[in-house]
């Protein structure tokens, strides 16, 4: 419980609200800001002036509107001047980008990550990427606000300790500290879970924009989720919520990398699909796409594999729908490809398990931002401090 | 996204914050309010004066403190003057109470509810209880703020439609409308789910006070949950979140009343326990307690039944812990009794399924407020409007 804010706190809150609006929605006229934010025109003018002085937004006359009268100035985020570094450590890829305010990817690098790679072996190529990105920053007046990192694992936000990342083979690895040591002056460094940050981006500007209750699923070797309830991330006490891949769905199922048995990811992860398809010796996204393609071409064993995984996918989503009553479920990573060929079956299984009231307004979706969601989401971790209080340097 | 509040909005927010504080924590000195709410002494004095004028709190000198100096006045909620009616429709009971601000039960009634009772047959005894409670209200200056109803089912808050209450046998029943028609002038009528409102009360003033991430489980014939994430109820899009009883845990299990198979409540509900104990012809809480007692006295079939249910109870809690990373799990209703005799086994199963980071700070608890949680929680539904804006009449 907290008492109401002072006048100065209100002003700073409003500055953050305005900056966040153009960060998420892009160029917006003063008239629309007045409307959306419920503030009067002179307040919007004063806030915009402050943010312009701080170099965070710019204003310009709009293109010819064809309407009479003085047109409303358009406020846009300074995407090319204000930026964050974004890193993403995934099962098969290492990615890095320079992301401008407004979520615009200005420059990017990526490379394969061999499975089994050790933590320090991932830190060095990422640091090299950041050095390359930095070399490409124009000399003129730019501002770096920090660095965000998305990790395919459970991350302690306070210090960037990766508690468990079974799919990339790390347990209790100080990834944050290793990156800080290697990168040196990259400003404030914030780590987050890959599915969590992707979910927030699909929620703010992607497939679930406008939905307040969202389950974003991401599959590869394992399965993770970023869950949004009433507009906010379900983080849990230590920030480790959303480990739906370790919801046990089949008590009589296979052993999981976590030590338990019959976890959801043992039934819908990459390995289950490839094994059902008789391709248990392969791995990786290309191999998964190979099975999906074969199923579409009529290969009966590949179709069997897709059906098996689709069945368990709908089953687990049904459970989550009963627990969360979401508006949208988004299928990302390899689950996207499986959803695209097994949508009817997934929906049917989901309908059999989920209560009518819990599923009545649900929409099943694929991501709009694809792999970029993790990079843009990692950058959001860095932008968040700026958006909380834009004038704090 | 919303802009910051006006001065008047800040004042009203602060009035609500202060009233909510004494509503939840009881009598509190002005000095402590100053401290807790982060407002200065003169603001606290002005807010208290406004709330006193409105008849919502009273102030008095504290008992002798033994300390030098002028003692700080103590602010307390006007529990005997400001009240709500609270109704609870449960599987085996109908309860009603008059609950004073501060969550104090001033008067109460209850009766058995025969299983299979139709909706209108429940409304009439509840209405009669309210008439009796009303007759007992003192003549002097009292204020009735509304009526709240806890229902063991899925409730649409907007109009009090009970969408599904399989354990009490109702589907799409307009309980809110029926109560309104029968009760007449009981002010604003708000319905909520029994587990949800109980969870909020255990969270604000019971076994999970101070915990921001809580799973409250309630078992009888079925199993429901009220889930708190980051201090707020996980309601979902339509308000139907928390239906953990219909999380399928055993794909090869028994048919459930919802039409699905192997739902958690088919493994841990009343019927599963009684059947395992060879008492499948009985029902109700007394029968459940009979099995628990027999198990404690060494009856081997009863012990088998408790072990079976305990196993599945730990199993499902493990799943929820991976999804929510909670600080506290509370076992209510018949699950309380099972938890008390099977705690070690439940913990062991939970530990086998939940990831270490998700369970590392978890506390397993029984409710502090018992059956009163549903009544106090129902009253909270009515008090909520007052606490949002205390001077709005």
């Amino acid at each position: 419980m907290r008492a109401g804010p002072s006048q100065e706190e209100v002003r700073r809150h409003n500055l953050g609200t305005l900056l966040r609006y153009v960060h998420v929605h892009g160029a917006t006229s003063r008239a629309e800001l007045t409307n959306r934010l419920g503030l009067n025109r002179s307040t919007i003018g004063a806030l915009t002036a402050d943010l312009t002085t701080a170099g965070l937004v710019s204003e310009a006359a709009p293109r010819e509107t064809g309407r009479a009268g003085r047109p409303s100035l358009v406020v846009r985020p300074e995407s090319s001047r204000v930026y964050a570094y974004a890193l993403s450590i995934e099962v098969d890829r290492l990615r890095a980008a320079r992301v401008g305010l407004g979520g615009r990817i200005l420059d990017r690098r990526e490379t394969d990550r061999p499975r089994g790679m050790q933590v320090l072996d991932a830190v060095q190529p990422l640091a090299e990427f950041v050095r390359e990105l930095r070399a490409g920053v124009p000399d003129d007046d730019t501002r770096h606000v920090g660095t965000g990192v998305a990790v395919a694992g459970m991350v302690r936000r306070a210090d960037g300790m990766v508690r468990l990342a079974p799919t990339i083979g790390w347990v209790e690895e100080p990834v944050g500290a290793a990156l800080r040591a290697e990168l040196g002056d990259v400003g404030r460094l914030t780590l987050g879970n890959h599915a969590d940050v992707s979910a927030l981006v699909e929620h703010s500007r992607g497939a679930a924009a406008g939905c307040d209750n969202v389950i974003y699923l991401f599959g590869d070797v394992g399965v993770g989720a970023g869950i949004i309830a009433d507009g906010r991330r379900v983080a849990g006490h230590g920030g480790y919520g959303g480990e739906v891949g370790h919801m046990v769905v089949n008590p009589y199922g296979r052993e999981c990398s976590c030590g338990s048995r019959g976890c959801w990811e043992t039934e819908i992860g990459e390995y289950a699909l490839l094994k059902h398809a008789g391709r248990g010796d392969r791995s990786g996204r290309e191999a998964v796409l190979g099975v999906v393609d074969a199923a579409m071409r009529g290969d009966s064993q590949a179709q069997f594999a897709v059906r098996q995984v689709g069945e368990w996918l709908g089953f687990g989503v049904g459970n989550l729908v009963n627990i969360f009553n979401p508006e949208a479920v988004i299928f990302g990573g390899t689950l996207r490809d499986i959803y695209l060929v097994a949508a009817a079956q997934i929906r049917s299984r989901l309908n059999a398990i989920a209560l009518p009231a819990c599923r009545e307004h649900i929409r099943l979706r694929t991501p709009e931002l694809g792999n970029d969601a993790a990079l843009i989401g990692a950058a959001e971790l860095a932008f968040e401090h700026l958006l909380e209080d834009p004038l704090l340097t």
Side-chain angles (χ1 to χ4, degrees), chain A:
Chain A
M1 270 181 231
R2 199 175 166 281
S6 69
Q7 284 289 83
E8 174 59 16
E9 285 172 322
V10 169
R11 177 173 156 269
R12 285 177 171 259
H13 171 82
N14 286 345
L15 284 167
T17 303
L18 198 161
L19 186 60
R20 194 182 293 270
Y21 193 91
V22 298
H23 171 64
V24 169
H25 297 91
T28 309
S29 72
R30 280 197 187 188
E32 189 175 342
L33 288 170
T34 304
N35 219 333
R36 297 281 175 178
L37 272 47
L39 292 168
N40 62 41
R41 279 167 51 182
S42 64
T43 304
I44 292 289
L47 295 170
T48 307
D50 285 348
L51 293 172
T52 303
T53 305
L56 297 170
V57 305
S58 62
E59 288 192 289
R63 301 210 186 99
E64 196 55 60
T65 62
R67 285 193 297 179
R70 195 167 57 136
S72 177
L73 289 172
V74 168
V75 183
R76 63 186 83 231
E78 281 280 19
S79 295
S80 55
R81 288 177 56 193
V82 181
Y83 67 92
Y85 294 120
L87 309 177
S88 179
I89 301 174
E90 302 165 22
V91 173
D92 293 319
R93 305 293 282 168
L94 299 173
R95 297 177 208 269
R98 193 161 69 86
V99 181
L101 190 64
R104 209 172 104 206
I105 295 184
L106 302 168
D107 195 0
R108 68 164 86 214
R109 298 287 185 282
E110 67 175 84
T111 186
D112 288 344
R113 176 188 174 275
R115 293 193 180 176
M117 178 190 253
Q118 292 305 299
V119 58
L120 287 177
D121 297 333
V123 166
Q124 282 169 358
L126 288 173
E128 181 55 31
F129 282 159
V130 172
R131 282 187 283 270
E132 290 175 26
L133 294 168
R134 187 184 289 146
V137 178
D139 283 337
D140 59 344
D141 188 21
T142 58
R143 177 171 166 194
H144 169 238
V145 300
T147 300
V149 189
V151 183
M154 302 171 78
V155 178
R156 185 162 67 207
R157 291 217 174 180
D159 61 359
M161 174 71 88
V162 174
R163 302 296 305 278
L164 179 70
T167 59
I168 51 179
W170 301 347
V171 179
E172 301 286 345
E173 294 278 9
V175 177
L179 277 167
R180 243 175 241 112
E182 185 69 28
L183 287 165
D185 56 338
V186 287
R188 194 199 289 249
L189 185 78
T190 313
L191 281 80
N193 171 271
H194 174 273
D196 281 341
V197 304
S198 302
L200 287 171
V201 168
E202 291 288 349
H203 167 248
S204 63
R205 60 182 93 206
C211 298
D212 274 344
N213 294 278
V214 181
I215 296 174
Y216 171 93
L217 298 171
F218 187 90
D220 46 42
V221 181
V223 174
I227 299 172
I228 314 275
D230 202 10
R232 304 196 311 180
R233 181 172 80 97
V234 174
H237 179 56
Y240 308 118
E243 288 295 329
V244 301
H246 300 283
M247 165 174 71
V248 178
V249 293
N250 185 355
Y252 314 104
R254 278 193 303 280
E255 267 192 45
C256 179
S257 63
C258 76
S260 183
R261 179 177 290 280
C263 292
W264 199 19
E265 66 182 44
T266 66
E267 300 291 351
I268 64 168
E270 174 190 306
Y271 181 71
L273 183 81
L274 293 170
K275 187 158 187 296
H276 288 310
R279 306 179 187 196
D281 54 333
R282 302 186 206 177
S283 68
R285 182 171 171 91
E286 289 308 313
V288 169
L289 289 178
V291 174
V292 170
D293 281 348
M296 286 173 69
R297 287 197 317 272
D299 177 307
S300 64
Q301 189 161 5
Q303 287 175 335
F304 167 78
V306 166
R307 265 203 313 279
Q308 286 295 110
V309 171
E311 195 73 5
W312 283 108
L313 183 51
F315 180 104
V317 170
N319 276 357
L320 295 176
V321 167
N322 283 337
I323 296 170
F324 288 102
N325 181 204
E327 294 159 88
V329 177
I330 303 176
F331 297 88
T334 55
L335 300 180
R336 172 184 177 277
D337 307 300
I338 291 161
Y339 172 72
L340 288 175
V341 289
Q345 182 198 4
I346 290 165
R347 171 60 96 159
S348 152
R349 192 76 177 120
L350 155 61
N351 284 355
I353 284 180
L355 300 168
C358 290
R359 65 174 153 84
E360 63 192 345
H361 297 120
I362 204 167
R363 285 170 290 186
L364 307 184
R365 295 276 175 86
T366 56
E368 275 183 20
L369 296 156
N371 291 322
D372 286 352
L375 284 174
I376 299 171
E380 294 290 344
L381 295 172
F383 286 129
E384 191 53 39
H385 307 291
L386 179 72
L387 298 171
E388 280 288 314
D389 193 346
L391 302 191
L392 204 71
T393 50

